[in-house]
Amino acid sequence: MPSFDIVSKTDKAEVDNAVAGVVRELGQRFDFKGAKCTIEHKDDVITIVADDAPKLSQMQEMLKVHLTRRKLDVGCLDWSDDQRAAGDARRQEVKVKQGIDKELAKTIVKAIKDSKMKVQAAIQGDELRVTGKKIDDLQDAIRLVKGLKIEQPLQYENFRD
C-alpha cells in the first residue's frame, strides 16, 4: 500500500554552522566591539546573551539571517521571552524544534479526516504516517497539509509505492 511520512527535522550541523557564523559576525562588527555578547548552541537550545535589549534584537536578526543562508526555515525556532541577566544584560533561550508535537499531529490528522480523502493518517511517535490506495490520493494529502499554513517546517519522506 502506498504511504509517506510527515516529519519535522532540523539539521543540527547546519544550526551549529549558523551559530558559528553569528559568532564570527559578532567579532567583526564595529557596533559589537567591547560588548559582552555571546551565543551558543547546546542540546537543541540556543542561548543568546546581550548587553541590552537593542543588541539582543540585533543578534536575533543575525541568527535568522544565518539560518536562512543555510537554507533552514526560521519557523524551526521556538523563541522564549528574554530575561534579565547580570546588570542590564538580557538572556534569551531559543529552542530548536525537532519532531511533531502531539497537538500539531492531532490537528493534521483531523484536517485529513475532515477532507474526506481516501487516506488514513496515523501518529507514530513524533511523526505521521499517511497511507492510501492511490498515489494521487497521497499527493492530494500532501497538498492539503501544505495548505494548512503550519508555522513549523514539515518534510515529506519515504514516499513508497
Side-chain angles (χ1 to χ4, degrees):
M1 217 166 151
S3 67
F4 70 91
D5 296 332
I6 302 174
V7 297
S8 179
K9 295 180 183 175
T10 306
D11 189 359
K12 293 179 184 180
E14 291 296 332
V15 173
D16 279 337
N17 291 336
V19 169
V22 172
V23 169
R24 277 192 307 276
E25 190 173 339
L26 285 174
Q28 294 173 351
R29 282 183 51 164
F30 181 76
D31 54 343
F32 281 94
K33 294 284 187 213
K36 294 182 176 121
C37 298
T38 60
I39 183 169
E40 61 182 24
H41 178 230
K42 286 185 182 173
D43 300 330
D44 291 336
V45 176
I46 300 171
T47 305
I48 304 172
V49 179
D51 290 344
D52 50 27
K55 283 196 171 93
L56 180 68
S57 65
Q58 287 178 337
M59 290 178 68
Q60 292 169 348
E61 288 303 315
M62 283 193 292
L63 179 61
K64 290 176 185 177
V65 166
H66 281 274
L67 284 171
T68 306
R69 284 182 191 164
R70 293 271 168 201
K71 295 182 178 49
L72 292 175
D73 191 342
V74 181
C76 71
L77 300 178
D78 186 18
W79 301 87
S80 66
D81 293 334
D82 60 326
Q83 307 160 350
R84 283 190 69 157
D88 288 336
R90 308 298 289 171
R91 176 185 301 122
Q92 184 175 30
E93 290 188 349
V94 183
K95 187 172 185 266
V96 180
K97 296 178 187 174
Q98 294 284 0
I100 301 173
D101 64 334
K102 297 245 184 253
E103 295 302 317
L104 180 59
K106 288 178 184 177
T107 303
I108 294 171
V109 169
K110 184 176 183 327
I112 290 174
K113 286 186 179 182
D114 289 347
S115 70
K116 306 285 188 208
M117 289 186 186
K118 295 182 180 180
V119 295
Q120 293 80 36
I123 301 172
Q124 296 181 336
D126 61 349
E127 59 185 47
L128 290 168
R129 166 86 33 102
V130 180
T131 57
K133 292 183 179 178
K134 296 181 184 175
I135 294 176
D136 293 339
D137 294 339
L138 295 179
Q139 290 172 341
D140 290 340
I142 290 175
R143 268 188 236 104
L144 173 78
V145 173
K146 283 184 178 179
L148 291 177
K149 304 290 186 221
I150 296 171
E151 295 175 10
Q152 187 171 348
L154 299 175
Q155 294 88 32
Y156 307 93
E157 298 181 341
N158 298 333
F159 199 94
R160 294 188 213 123
D161 288 336

